[in-house]
Amino acid sequence: MRIDKNPKRVLRKLTQRYLKNNRLLNLFAISGIVLTCILFTCVFNVVLSVNDSIKSQMIDEIGCSDSGSFDYLTLNQVEKLKQNKKIQSSHLIYSLGVIENKKLNKNFTATTYYFSPEHFKEYKNLKMSSMEGKYPENSNEVMLSTTVLKQLSIEPIIGTEIDLKIAFQEHVLDKKFILSGVYEYNKFEDIQLMFVSDDFINTTNIYENKAIYFLFVNLKHNINLAEKFIDIMIESGYNNNENDRIEYTINPVYSKHMFLENGTFVVVFLFILFIVLSGYLLIFNVFNISILNHIKFYGQLKSIGFTSKQIKAFIIKQGLYLTGIALPIGFFFGYLIGNILLPILMKITEIDVQISMNIYIFIFAGVFTVITVYLSLLTPAKRANKMSSTEAINMNGVKKRRRFDISKKLHIHNLALLNLLRNPKQFLIIIISLSLMPIILNLMITFVCGFDYDSYMSRFVSSDFIAAHVNYFKSEYDGNSVVDEEFIKYIDTIDIKEAGTIYCDKSYGRIVDSNGFERVKEDIFHTQYRNIDYDIDLYGYDDFLLSKFEVIHGELNKDVLKSGTSIIEIIEVDDYNKPDLSTMRFKVGDHIDVYYDNHFVKTYTVVAQVKKISNFAELNGTLEFIARLALSSEEYLKIAPTPHKMSYIFNVPDSKLREIHSKLMEYVKNENESMRFKSKLEFEKQYEEAKNAFLIPGVFCAILVGLIGIINYINVFITSILSRKDELIILDKIGMIGSQRKTMLILEGVFYTLVSSITFVIVSSIVNLSALKYVMDQLWLTKYQFNYFSLFLCIPIYLIISIVTPLIIDKVVMKKG
């Protein structure tokens, strides 16, 4: 017989034959690796899917996926920039002015554009739900949205003649168009586009030599885009200074930090670390027990000349072979479970779920699983190498630490306990494995059960309903984003108990440029504060809304406010509804000189400082205000040049809440899609979804960790009984009856359950009453209350496993014996 002298081939064959003859090892090792791979695949599936969902939603909102654009160019500038080699592809759109027909209301702006075919195709796919007809080809053809046509009282019929007025700079073009196409947006857009043809620009003089072109470009890599855009400008012959600068816009999809680059990276890292430790615990234990049970075999390998390096390679090859089998199974179930968990997690956000089929999910999960397996194998391999061949061959698996007096009567429970303590380190690992699930489960259930409904609702809900323009809820409110009067009239016809309006006179205020904040329009309230002119955030409140405020200092008297000399300051609050004193700018009794458009309006006296109420004047953006102030609506209407109804807030009978919610949904959908509302029901739903978003993934992780512990436990039991098979047969021969043997094995399992139960009750209680209580006390959403049920729920489950497992294994082993 020819002997193979190639060490690598010998090692490969030996590994294959060893695994073939140790199917039990394969089963437990593959189970552990599969569970580890499932966890990693779940995490990366959720993380990358969330990342892709955020990116996709931003692209949908913007309407393009290009790297960015060079803005307001002349045709000559377009031609120069397009030649740059850094630009992989480009396309043009033309900005041609605003439609100013009188029938159009102020709920949206209608603007005129020409889109290149490539840009229009992407815009259509991202923004439009339906389209009839065709994109304009002739100079007199136009394509409009159903929203604009409805406002103009024109039927959406292809071929209809339409008179439109287009305002461009100082020009107003009055022209007859023929409707060539009609489209409908996926959702309401506050900027409605009218599309014209390329011929329209060529035959219209007002656009000649004007900077109407936007060059959208795609670069090779969408990182450091600002630097790349500046380089393109300089290379094209333009300097990046004030006189020769070309404006550009970076696509926010690539300029904003995505999910992975945010603070959530730390959470993901900790979760990965947790999985590595859990997987390590199981895989290490499987191979450690395998080596202990086959230590004589490793001693024989050493005696015939195997080096330490070869034995280490032999053990690692076993792990890698089994990993190759386990990975596809783990990928499949991990991806499947991740797709189930993702919609549950995403319900607490306003992000539309997009299941990712990103190859990196499986690459990252595979790499981390292999790393975990490799780390798990290092200690068992070191242990196999550490022992000499003589020690290994003579080893029987029992550490002689103390002598027992066998002259005394040895009870079954003493014998069971001695069997467990044969290997104290192995016993400790199993106790830790079994304790992890109840601890995690208890912490998670205690945390979620601590979600306080009243705290959550009081944070977000100040009334049953708030109605406003769609831009208000997107924090993009301006003077055009007002509550429609018809909407208010409709609300007043339904069964409402009380209602009030918040008035605001605000358009643009300040915007951010390279020099900081600069006022671009003077049509805003302002005042002198410490000799500096600041904008003030001034509102008018109806009586119903004024009565909702909680006073910090002073006295809120509605009659005094209506006198026309008094004003109140609204103070920011923290998560616990405590006033943020650092935002106070005035004191009760101070006199405030209010200006509008640099003209003095009136002097008011501060009569009260009140806590800000959620959903009352929630405005953000680029406006920089020194203070938020409020007047009675009667006084506000007298001094504000253009007072707008910013929001309409109302309460309804509790029994009618769902019915009225449904009616308003129908109205918004069918009558006025620019209007929106939020109701108490939505926040109640968000509260339940927030609880589930923590509870379901937490319980899922606890179950997986529990499976790891149970597999470890069963593995230890099987290998322990198999290693003691001869010993059990001898006991059987010398008079131990079957019921005694079974009792002994059951007691071993019960001891595991007893010790692990004591461990996880003590550890969980300590962690609960210290760390978890501290964290929950810091959160506004939760109130700490210890939950014992989940702890004691695990004990009967473990008890059943500890009784059933030994009986099954004993039956199989003794049958073979």
Side-chain angles (χ1 to χ4, degrees), residues 225-338:
L225 287 174
E227 294 175 13
K228 291 177 181 178
F229 271 62
I230 292 170
D231 289 343
I232 291 170
M233 275 194 294
I234 293 170
E235 290 168 10
S236 301
Y238 301 100
N239 295 318
N240 188 30
N241 56 47
E242 197 169 333
N243 298 323
D244 198 28
R245 182 190 298 168
I246 289 177
E247 296 298 326
Y248 64 87
T249 303
I250 304 298
N251 193 330
V253 173
Y254 311 113
S255 64
K256 288 188 178 181
H257 293 299
M258 292 286 99
F259 177 81
L260 284 175
E261 297 171 342
N262 217 328
T264 46
F265 178 80
V266 177
V267 178
V268 173
F269 173 77
L270 291 174
F271 207 79
I272 289 170
L273 188 63
F274 165 75
I275 297 168
V276 169
L277 290 173
S278 300
Y280 174 87
L281 201 63
L282 175 55
I283 300 163
F284 158 78
N285 205 38
V286 169
F287 280 93
N288 195 47
I289 292 168
S290 172
I291 286 167
L292 283 174
N293 289 333
H294 297 87
I295 197 70
K296 292 182 181 181
F297 171 75
Y298 289 99
Q300 288 168 351
L301 290 180
K302 275 195 168 186
S303 66
I304 61 171
F306 264 67
T307 64
S308 297
K309 190 176 179 181
Q310 285 173 325
I311 288 176
K312 181 181 176 181
F314 171 59
I315 294 169
I316 289 172
K317 271 184 181 293
Q318 292 176 44
L320 295 180
Y321 269 122
L322 297 175
T323 303
I325 298 167
L327 283 180
I329 304 168
F331 288 155
F332 176 77
F333 286 104
Y335 187 73
L336 189 67
I337 294 167

Side-chain angles (χ1 to χ4, degrees), residues 406-443:
I406 60 171
S407 62
K408 294 180 181 179
K409 189 175 180 182
L410 193 62
H411 294 283
I412 294 293
H413 63 269
N414 289 335
L415 193 58
L417 190 59
L418 288 172
N419 287 332
L420 292 181
L421 296 176
R422 284 184 175 204
N423 192 329
K425 196 176 284 186
Q426 180 178 286
F427 178 74
L428 183 64
I429 290 170
I430 297 305
I431 295 303
I432 293 171
S433 298
L434 290 173
S435 300
L436 276 176
M437 181 185 79
I439 292 169
I440 294 168
L441 190 63
N442 176 250
L443 293 176

Side-chain angles (χ1 to χ4, degrees), residues 88 148 188 254 389 401 449 452 525 559 612 622 677 685:
Q88 289 198 316
V148 173
F188 177 78
Y254 311 113
S389 57
R401 292 194 172 183
C449 289
D452 186 56
F525 289 104
D559 294 329
K612 177 186 163 189
T622 56
F677 71 91
K685 185 182 176 185

Side-chain angles (χ1 to χ4, degrees), residues 99 134 157 267 359 695 707 750:
I99 305 173
K134 62 176 183 176
I157 300 171
V267 178
I359 188 66
L695 181 63
L707 284 174
V750 170

Side-chain angles (χ1 to χ4, degrees), residues 623-640:
L623 296 164
E624 183 190 47
F625 299 110
I626 189 62
R628 177 177 282 128
L629 303 168
L631 298 166
S632 68
S633 55
E634 291 85 351
E635 176 64 16
Y636 192 87
L637 292 171
K638 291 176 186 175
I639 68 164

Side-chain angles (χ1 to χ4, degrees), residues 761-781:
V761 168
I762 292 171
V763 174
S764 187
S765 299
I766 292 169
V767 176
N768 249 288
L769 294 168
S770 55
L772 185 64
K773 186 178 185 300
Y774 175 79
V775 169
M776 290 180 71
D777 286 344
Q778 304 305 307
L779 299 174
W780 62 269
L781 176 61

Side-chain angles (χ1 to χ4, degrees), residues 557-805:
N557 187 309
K558 286 180 274 187
D559 294 329
V560 172
L561 277 175
K562 289 178 184 179
S563 68
T565 59
S566 303
I567 197 167
I568 60 174
E569 183 180 10
I570 302 170
I571 307 301
E572 294 285 340
V573 293
D574 61 17
D575 289 336
Y576 304 92
N577 200 35
K578 294 179 181 177
D580 182 359
L581 301 180
S582 66
T583 64
M584 286 185 177
R585 297 290 179 260
F586 306 100
K587 292 183 289 185
V588 173
D590 282 357
H591 299 291
I592 300 175
D593 294 330
V594 174
Y595 295 83
Y596 187 90
D597 195 14
N598 285 332
H599 294 96
F600 175 73
V601 176
K602 204 169 186 177
T603 299
Y604 292 98
T605 303
V606 179
V607 294
Q609 290 169 312
V610 299
K611 291 181 181 180
K612 177 186 163 189
I613 298 177
S614 177
N615 287 338
F616 282 18
E618 281 287 333
L619 299 181
N620 301 308
T622 56
L623 296 164
E624 183 190 47
F625 299 110
I626 189 62
R628 177 177 282 128
L629 303 168
L631 298 166
S632 68
S633 55
E634 291 85 351
E635 176 64 16
Y636 192 87
L637 292 171
K638 291 176 186 175
I639 68 164
T642 53
H644 305 300
K645 289 186 176 181
M646 184 180 74
S647 57
Y648 192 62
I649 298 163
F650 56 99
N651 287 332
V652 301
D654 292 341
S655 59
K656 297 286 185 74
L657 194 62
R658 293 186 183 279
E659 179 188 338
I660 291 170
H661 185 276
S662 299
K663 285 181 178 179
L664 293 177
M665 287 286 287
E666 286 296 316
Y667 181 90
V668 168
K669 182 180 178 182
N670 300 322
E671 300 297 330
N672 193 337
E673 59 184 352
S674 66
M675 294 297 106
R676 290 289 185 277
F677 71 91
K678 280 192 178 292
S679 77
K680 188 178 179 180
L681 292 174
E682 293 175 50
F683 290 104
E684 287 177 349
K685 185 182 176 185
Q686 287 175 14
Y687 169 76
E688 292 300 327
E689 288 171 350
K691 283 178 67 175
N692 290 337
F694 284 96
L695 181 63
I696 294 172
V699 171
F700 166 72
C701 288
I703 290 169
L704 279 181
V705 172
L707 284 174
I708 288 172
I710 290 166
I711 290 171
N712 253 337
Y713 168 75
I714 295 171
N715 178 38
V716 166
F717 233 103
I718 290 174
T719 51
S720 172
I721 293 173
L722 287 174
S723 65
R724 291 185 287 143
K725 184 173 68 173
D726 295 339
E727 183 182 310
L728 291 171
I729 293 169
I730 292 169
L731 288 172
D732 189 55
K733 298 293 183 185
I734 63 173
M736 178 180 273
I737 59 175
S739 60
Q740 289 177 319
R741 186 183 64 252
K742 288 173 184 176
T743 303
M744 181 187 71
L745 295 176
I746 289 170
L747 282 173
E748 289 180 26
V750 170
F751 281 140
Y752 272 122
T753 300
L754 182 63
V755 177
S756 60
S757 298
I758 293 169
T759 303
F760 67 64
V761 168
I762 292 171
V763 174
S764 187
S765 299
I766 292 169
V767 176
N768 249 288
L769 294 168
S770 55
L772 185 64
K773 186 178 185 300
Y774 175 79
V775 169
M776 290 180 71
D777 286 344
Q778 304 305 307
L779 299 174
W780 62 269
L781 176 61
T782 55
K783 286 185 178 179
Y784 178 78
Q785 187 175 359
F786 193 91
N787 186 290
Y788 291 95
F789 174 74
S790 58
L791 277 178
F792 296 109
L793 177 70
C794 296
I795 295 174
I797 296 171
Y798 280 177
L799 203 57
I800 292 167
I801 294 169
S802 67
I803 293 170
V804 173
T805 305

Side-chain angles (χ1 to χ4, degrees), residues 315-377:
I315 294 169
I316 289 172
K317 271 184 181 293
Q318 292 176 44
L320 295 180
Y321 269 122
L322 297 175
T323 303
I325 298 167
L327 283 180
I329 304 168
F331 288 155
F332 176 77
F333 286 104
Y335 187 73
L336 189 67
I337 294 167
N339 290 348
I340 294 168
L341 289 176
L342 186 63
I344 297 167
L345 291 169
M346 297 297 278
K347 277 184 179 179
I348 59 171
T349 71
E350 294 183 357
I351 300 168
D352 295 327
V353 178
Q354 178 175 309
I355 303 297
S356 177
M357 196 56 193
N358 196 326
I359 188 66
Y360 287 108
I361 293 172
F362 306 107
I363 291 173
F364 289 146
V367 168
F368 276 94
T369 303
V370 170
I371 290 170
T372 305
V373 171
Y374 181 77
L375 292 174
S376 305
L377 295 171

